[in-house]
Amino acid sequence: MRSDHPLDRYDVPEPRRRAARAATAAVVVAALVPLGFAGWLGWEAVAGPKKDGSGVAVGSLPAPGLATGPAAGGTSASGAASGSAGPSASHPASRAASASASSSASAAHSDAGKVPAASGQPLAGKTVVIDPGHNPNNGSYATEINKLVQIGNGTTNCDTTGTETDGGYLEADFTLDVARRARTLLEAEGAKVVFTQDGATTWGPCVTERAAIGNNAHADAAISIHGDGAPASDRGFHVILPAGVDQGAADNLAIVAPSRTLGVDVRAAFHSVTAEPFANYISNGSGLDVRSDLGGLNMSKVPKIFIECGNMRNATDAGEMTSASWRQLAAQGVVKGITTFLESGN
Ligand SMILES: [Zn+2]
């Protein structure tokens, strides 16, 4: 039987998490609440959350150029949320979502000549690295995943088992499923998609290797998909952005700004598509956390974020996360955010 490793509860040791949060929460709130969060509140009041999956288009993208920097990122979040209140556009991605689920990256590229890039293959030439958090087999390899790896400003475990719902649905199974759904959608848009693991390995890889895979792929965007394991009364999703770390083998300073833009775009899109609220237990409900204790972010050289799609220990969130149709929405939300980011010239 696998057991709850202390590190799994919130994915990382709690004291370090809070230290990172305290240092950045004020900045995050100051930068984002006036524009992005206020805009979101306005949208909520007018339109309410979308709950009908069939009506959720991977469209209604804000105009290109909105998400070009940290300041504009707040505008982007507001714009994306406001845009989603309008009519559901028939975006190419919606059509792509119903297309062949078996298309590979190479097949998508070979089709590029048949479909105008402007409409059918908006992500042609882009590389997206998806990191499905943890590994379903990690629970059987405690020695391997508990070894320490260097993440610049310290050490951390190679990997962790992740959390699970009270019913025993593993976070690692959730992350793989959402990642595979997102891959199908991204490939239909013409992107090359690289996974850090696809459930076929016995354990890991280590968080440092997960970052290296994104770096070696020269990813235009990278995302690590997770589910959280917070107390049962907590719910909601949040995006984790890299804090700047220039220490030891880590130097991610160049990706801090573009990663924030990516994160703001994914936060807006994930919320608009899934109707999942911003986490009520992180960063004053802003839906954005900034951390310096995650190897996958410290060691990244490409724009990268984590998303905690929900709290697997919360009954409402667990009900969603164990639903295949909700996981499809989660994938659509992630892909919509990445598409917004990449179509804005990133
Ligand atoms: Zn996790």
Side-chain angles (χ1 to χ4, degrees):
M1 288 292 289
R2 56 186 301 283
S3 62
D4 266 352
H5 189 284
L7 292 178
D8 303 336
R9 188 166 176 81
Y10 289 93
D11 276 349
V12 296
E14 182 65 2
R16 298 176 64 191
R17 172 198 197 88
R18 294 206 181 282
R21 215 166 73 203
T24 54
V27 174
V28 171
V29 171
L32 294 169
V33 165
L35 290 172
F37 194 53
W40 170 74
L41 287 174
W43 168 76
E44 282 288 290
V46 172
K50 281 176 177 274
K51 293 185 182 296
D52 180 2
S54 64
V56 177
V58 188
S60 306
L61 301 176
L66 281 177
T68 54
T75 305
S76 172
S78 176
S82 300
S84 68
S88 294
S90 180
H91 187 273
S94 300
R95 176 167 50 79
S98 61
S100 169
S102 62
S103 66
S104 65
S106 59
H109 282 300
S110 70
D111 289 341
K114 303 173 186 173
V115 182
S119 60
Q121 302 273 285
L123 301 186
K126 299 292 188 181
T127 298
V128 178
V129 168
I130 301 180
D131 174 37
H134 316 282
N135 183 313
N137 304 314
N138 274 356
S140 301
Y141 294 88
T143 301
E144 287 82 356
I145 67 171
N146 284 338
K147 72 179 181 181
L148 296 178
V149 293
Q150 295 283 341
I151 61 168
N153 56 0
T155 59
T156 190
N157 291 99
C158 158
D159 205 7
T160 55
T161 59
T163 188
E164 64 188 46
T165 67
D166 288 349
Y169 180 57
L170 292 179
E171 178 190 356
D173 288 329
F174 169 83
T175 65
L176 261 179
D177 186 75
V178 172
R180 287 167 176 161
R181 292 170 187 275
R183 175 172 58 190
T184 299
L185 297 171
L186 286 165
E187 288 181 346
E189 293 192 29
K192 175 185 177 183
V193 179
V194 177
F195 269 29
T196 58
Q197 59 96 7
D198 201 358
T201 56
T202 50
W203 54 272
C206 295
V207 293
T208 43
E209 177 63 17
R210 292 171 190 260
I213 289 171
N215 298 343
N216 293 337
H218 303 289
D220 297 288
I223 186 166
S224 188
I225 297 175
H226 289 259
D228 214 352
S233 59
D234 295 340
R235 77 163 296 215
F237 84 99
H238 68 282
V239 171
I240 304 172
L241 312 175
V245 176
D246 183 6
Q247 198 173 342
D251 179 4
N252 70 356
L253 299 184
I255 68 155
V256 169
S259 298
R260 172 171 289 274
T261 304
L262 172 64
V264 168
D265 286 340
V266 168
R267 179 187 63 164
F270 191 87
H271 175 68
S272 70
V273 173
T274 66
E276 180 75 1
F278 297 165
N280 60 8
Y281 60 99
I282 293 285
S283 300
N284 296 316
S286 69
L288 287 177
D289 197 7
V290 182
R291 286 169 58 171
S292 61
D293 61 332
L294 296 173
L297 297 180
N298 289 9
M299 306 303 285
S300 184
K301 302 292 187 185
V302 298
K304 185 172 181 179
I305 60 171
F306 279 42
I307 183 168
E308 299 279 3
C309 296
N311 175 18
M312 301 191 81
R313 294 296 188 179
N314 173 273
T316 302
D317 283 0
E320 294 173 337
M321 298 169 86
T322 54
S323 157
S325 59
W326 191 87
R327 292 196 297 273
Q328 182 66 20
L329 291 179
Q332 288 176 2
V334 165
V335 168
K336 179 181 175 182
I338 292 172
T339 301
T340 300
F341 174 74
L342 294 177
E343 287 192 325
S344 298
N346 293 284

